Amino acid sequence: MTHSTVDPTTITPEMAAQIRSWRVDQDFTWRAVARAASERWGSERGGNQLYGEELCVAAAKVLGEDPCREPWS
């Protein structure tokens, strides 16, 4: 298992809800989630696909959801 560079404790409930909206409601790819998050919250990771996946996993955990199940997958 790879180590995530996104610490779930740094994701606020508001951030998690926004990430969920991008991924679930707006059907963003992981790359698009990463790009949107980088633009909104200032990250040098840009549109890195792995960063987007890590953000989604962290957001799901903050929201008490399983990132491997619907609606995330």
Side-chain angles (χ1 to χ4, degrees), residues 8-22 25 37 40-41 55 58-60 62-63 72:
T9 64
T10 65
I11 304 295
T12 67
E14 294 79 15
M15 292 169 76
Q18 180 61 69
I19 294 166
R20 187 183 195 282
S21 175
W22 287 326
D25 301 331
R40 176 167 274 185
W41 299 305
L55 284 169
V62 167
L63 296 171
W72 290 93

Side-chain angles (χ1 to χ4, degrees), residues 19-40:
I19 294 166
R20 187 183 195 282
S21 175
W22 287 326
R23 179 68 177 160
V24 175
D25 301 331
Q26 298 177 51
D27 203 29
F28 277 26
T29 63
W30 287 332
R31 190 176 309 279
V33 168
R35 189 174 302 112
S38 292
E39 289 173 4
R40 176 167 274 185

Side-chain angles (χ1 to χ4, degrees), residues 59-70:
K61 289 180 180 181
V62 167
L63 296 171
E65 298 176 346
D66 185 339
C68 298
R69 296 195 180 267
E70 291 296 331

